[in-house]
Amino acid sequence: MKIEQLLLQGSGQFIEDRLVVRSRQRLFGVFDGASSLVPQLYQQRSGAWWAAELAWQTFCQQPDDTLLDLARQANQDIAHHMTRFAIDRRNPLHCWSTSAAVFRLLPNHLEWLQCGDCLILAIDRQGQAELLTPYSNHDAETFSQWTAQPDETLPQILQRLRPTIERVRLGMNRDYGVLNGDTAAEAFFCQGRITLDNIQHILAFSDGLLPPLARQGAMPDFSQLTRLYLQGGLEGLGQWVRFVEGRDPHCHRYPRFKCHDDVAALAISL
């Protein structure tokens, strides 16, 4: 078994993605934190940093537990720490949150759990890919209204779209799932199990690794992502994504909330 890891900081002040690699327990995964819409630091770290960090700690410290138990515990830990910092957990705009995509390798199978927009992709020995986890783009409504004027800056775009961004955020664990301390998140835990027969690579990644061209469509081009990975590994794929984003620094052509998002990705080759 070969393990490849990629963790890249984006344009933000902190890296708010995390990787879990526990080879002995054959437990792997990624987390993608999101801050509240009330900008504030807690012990000099953002809410997104805390959400991803707490989920990562739970999975690292209790790797023998089931994926479901670990996800529940991570969600509870986020709730506990928000209460510790006197955050109004009843208001989704104030809550920290993180997406998650985790899996465990068994002798002949793979079991996985996902919540949010992190993904797991399996590639067979013929180079064909299958997305194991459901794909959801809860920011599609915001991006559909993104059309920027030539001289409009990214802060101006975000200010103009603030009502839509807030409306989408209020849909956490009602329209889409995230770990944000709310027990309603458990209804959005997606789980599955597949045989490892004919599987050669398993990828888990945050949405920062998605090719920018795909983000505007109803469904990303996972065949393109697979081809780029098979050609250059995670490092090559990550460099290509950063190159394309760098050609659109003001986010006019490819709607996104910052020039470069954080990236957390891992690949297991069997």
Side-chain angles (χ1 to χ4, degrees):
M1 183 174 68
K2 177 185 175 183
I3 305 171
E4 184 182 1
Q5 303 177 49
L6 182 66
L7 189 62
L8 298 175
Q9 183 168 351
S11 304
Q13 183 180 2
F14 308 102
I15 184 163
E16 297 165 340
D17 285 12
R18 292 289 185 276
L19 287 171
V20 167
V21 177
R22 295 301 298 261
S23 299
R24 188 173 68 84
Q25 291 84 9
R26 299 173 73 84
L27 174 66
F28 308 92
V30 297
F31 304 97
D32 182 357
S35 290
S36 71
L37 294 185
V38 181
Q40 186 174 343
L41 297 182
Y42 309 89
Q43 294 184 349
Q44 308 305 310
R45 293 292 186 270
S46 66
W49 184 95
W50 276 106
E53 174 74 10
L54 291 165
W56 174 81
Q57 288 181 12
T58 298
F59 277 77
C60 285
Q61 293 169 1
Q62 303 166 225
D64 293 316
D65 288 358
T66 68
L67 298 181
L68 181 58
D69 285 343
L70 286 166
R72 286 171 171 163
Q73 185 60 53
N75 198 45
Q76 292 171 14
D77 289 346
I78 292 170
H80 171 76
H81 277 75
M82 284 194 294
T83 299
R84 172 188 168 196
F85 286 109
I87 293 170
D88 182 5
R89 291 170 44 209
R90 297 168 299 180
N91 187 340
L93 301 184
H94 290 231
C95 288
W96 313 337
S97 63
T98 185
S99 296
V102 294
F103 65 91
R104 191 188 304 275
L105 291 174
L106 302 172
N108 298 304
H109 292 80
L110 173 150
E111 60 181 19
W112 57 265
L113 182 147
Q114 181 238 30
C115 186
D117 53 14
C118 292
L119 299 170
I120 302 174
L121 187 78
I123 304 174
D124 67 22
R125 298 188 183 280
Q126 290 72 47
Q128 300 300 307
E130 177 187 0
L131 186 66
L132 303 183
T133 49
Y135 171 76
S136 64
N137 182 1
H138 55 261
D139 293 316
E141 179 183 358
T142 303
F143 292 157
S144 70
Q145 304 173 27
W146 194 269
T147 307
Q149 301 302 316
D151 59 347
E152 194 173 21
T153 66
L154 180 58
Q156 289 172 332
I157 298 173
L158 296 176
Q159 183 60 38
R160 170 168 57 83
L161 296 178
R162 177 79 182 199
T164 303
I165 294 170
E166 290 186 355
R167 183 166 64 252
V168 171
R169 187 61 67 91
L170 290 171
M172 287 194 304
N173 295 324
R174 292 190 304 178
D175 304 323
Y176 63 93
V178 288
L179 303 180
N180 73 340
D182 185 350
T183 56
E186 295 183 23
F188 292 88
F189 290 174
C190 298
Q191 299 180 79
R193 179 183 172 101
I194 65 164
T195 177
L196 291 174
D197 293 345
N198 202 36
I199 298 299
Q200 187 166 23
H201 308 284
I202 304 145
L203 277 62
F205 51 93
S206 62
D207 64 348
L209 195 68
L210 288 176
L213 288 170
R215 295 186 187 178
Q216 299 181 65
M219 190 75 170
D221 185 355
F222 291 105
S223 62
Q224 179 189 38
L225 185 150
T226 300
R227 184 174 63 256
L228 290 165
Y229 164 73
L230 292 175
Q231 290 173 351
L234 290 180
E235 185 68 30
L237 175 55
Q239 289 178 359
W240 184 85
V241 170
R242 288 292 167 96
F243 171 76
V244 175
E245 291 173 336
R247 299 179 66 183
D248 179 39
H250 303 296
C251 307
H252 284 190
R253 185 176 182 183
Y254 309 129
R256 56 201 195 281
F257 295 116
K258 47 192 166 186
C259 181
H260 300 302
D261 196 3
D262 294 340
V263 174
L266 59 87
I268 308 296
S269 298
L270 302 174

